[in-house]
Amino acid sequence: SAVFVSPGVLLAIHANERTTLALCKARADKKFPTAFISPENVSTEWRGNEGYRRRVFNIVNKETQTQRIAVGETINEPGQWSSFPPHKHDRREEKSGKVVEAALEEIYYFRIKPETGFGFQRVYTKDGSCDESYVIRDGDVTRIPGGCHPVANMPGHQLYYLWMLAGDERVYVWNTDPLRYGTYMLRLTAYDKAGNTKADTHYVYVLTEPLLPAAAVTAEFATFSSLPVDAACDNFGNIYV
């Protein structure tokens, strides 16, 4: 569960048992209604495929009125990567009048089960001005001012992290690092027999070499996988959803 409050609001929290609380803060000069977010109001989705499959919980999301902040959780299955394909959100960029990347700072707070496990995170920029790798242990925190920031988890352990995003505007879009591959995204939504959409949405990232022309993406993947492509992609592998 979570509670969102604006600056100047007093909040008292009482726990009936041993509890871990995370206080996520961002600069704000506007006030919005206080909101209690119960587990039932948290949207969930599976992202990735074999090797980089994880579950994402969007807690303070677009449905919560805030000025800058967004909060969520990611759980890596054993031996899986996340924040993959590597992506960044460190500058505002527009194309054809549409925001294709937002400037957002981010913080990760990690927990690992069993606690003796560890993971890795690499934070790097295209120009090489930043290229750092960290050993992640239970209880660690990393600050991501910019650059791509993938996470790897060791086998036999579950890696969790609480993430907090904040920027000057509530636009949550990012650019992927195409490396030497084209990066495209398929969004798969499950339906029941009555045609109703199920709660979970599964994201599958497809890496191709050589790069496919943008005009060929939909036809190519519709033929290859018989699945709808719910994204547009330019020649550099940037995803627009």
Side-chain angles (χ1 to χ4, degrees):
S1 301
V3 178
F4 166 78
V5 294
S6 293
V9 175
L10 295 178
L11 178 68
I13 298 176
H14 301 276
N16 295 323
E17 58 186 32
R18 187 177 179 85
T19 302
T20 299
L21 299 177
L23 181 61
C24 304
K25 301 188 296 182
R27 259 188 321 109
D29 51 24
K30 298 179 181 178
K31 291 183 178 289
F32 293 93
T34 297
F36 172 72
I37 301 125
S38 67
E40 293 74 23
N41 293 326
V42 174
S43 63
T44 66
E45 54 187 295
W46 284 98
R47 293 184 185 178
N49 204 345
E50 184 178 356
Y52 49 102
R53 183 167 171 78
R54 69 275 193 188
R55 193 165 196 180
V56 178
F57 299 80
N58 300 295
I59 302 173
V60 179
N61 52 34
K62 293 180 180 179
E63 296 179 2
T64 309
Q65 290 183 289
T66 73
Q67 184 175 350
R68 292 188 173 91
I69 197 170
V71 179
E73 299 170 315
T74 296
I75 296 179
N76 281 28
E77 297 301 319
Q80 300 291 303
W81 287 62
S82 62
S83 293
F84 189 91
H87 68 272
K88 72 182 189 74
H89 36 73
D90 53 17
R91 65 172 183 168
R92 193 180 196 278
E93 183 180 354
E94 290 189 22
K95 287 186 178 180
S96 303
K98 182 178 181 180
V99 178
V100 296
E101 181 179 349
L104 301 166
E105 295 184 358
E106 191 166 20
I107 292 175
Y108 284 1
Y109 165 66
F110 293 92
R111 299 304 305 264
I112 299 175
K113 290 182 178 180
E115 296 178 0
T116 53
F118 61 88
F120 294 98
Q121 183 172 36
R122 181 187 178 198
V123 180
Y124 66 95
T125 57
K126 185 177 180 180
D127 62 8
S129 59
C130 175
D131 193 346
E132 299 182 0
S133 296
Y134 309 100
V135 176
I136 302 300
R137 300 191 184 277
D138 184 62
D140 281 352
V141 175
T142 60
R143 175 177 174 268
I144 306 163
C148 296
H149 41 277
V151 173
N153 182 28
M154 70 182 295
H157 293 71
Q158 185 183 75
L159 183 147
Y160 157 99
Y161 54 93
L162 174 76
W163 47 264
M164 184 193 80
L165 286 165
D168 289 334
E169 56 184 339
R170 286 199 80 195
V171 179
Y172 306 123
V173 289
W174 56 86
N175 267 328
T176 56
D177 178 2
L179 306 174
R180 61 191 185 93
Y181 298 92
T183 306
Y184 306 98
M185 182 171 70
L186 307 179
R187 189 174 74 184
L188 318 179
T189 303
Y191 296 87
D192 60 22
K193 292 182 178 180
N196 299 313
T197 304
K198 291 187 176 180
D200 288 345
T201 298
H202 300 259
Y203 289 84
V204 180
Y205 296 87
V206 181
L207 305 182
T208 65
E209 185 183 15
L211 296 177
L212 290 175
V217 172
T218 300
E220 179 72 16
F221 288 127
T223 300
F224 174 76
S225 63
S226 299
L227 296 170
V229 176
D230 193 8
C233 183
D234 67 16
N235 290 328
F236 300 97
N238 297 316
I239 298 168
Y240 306 98
V241 292

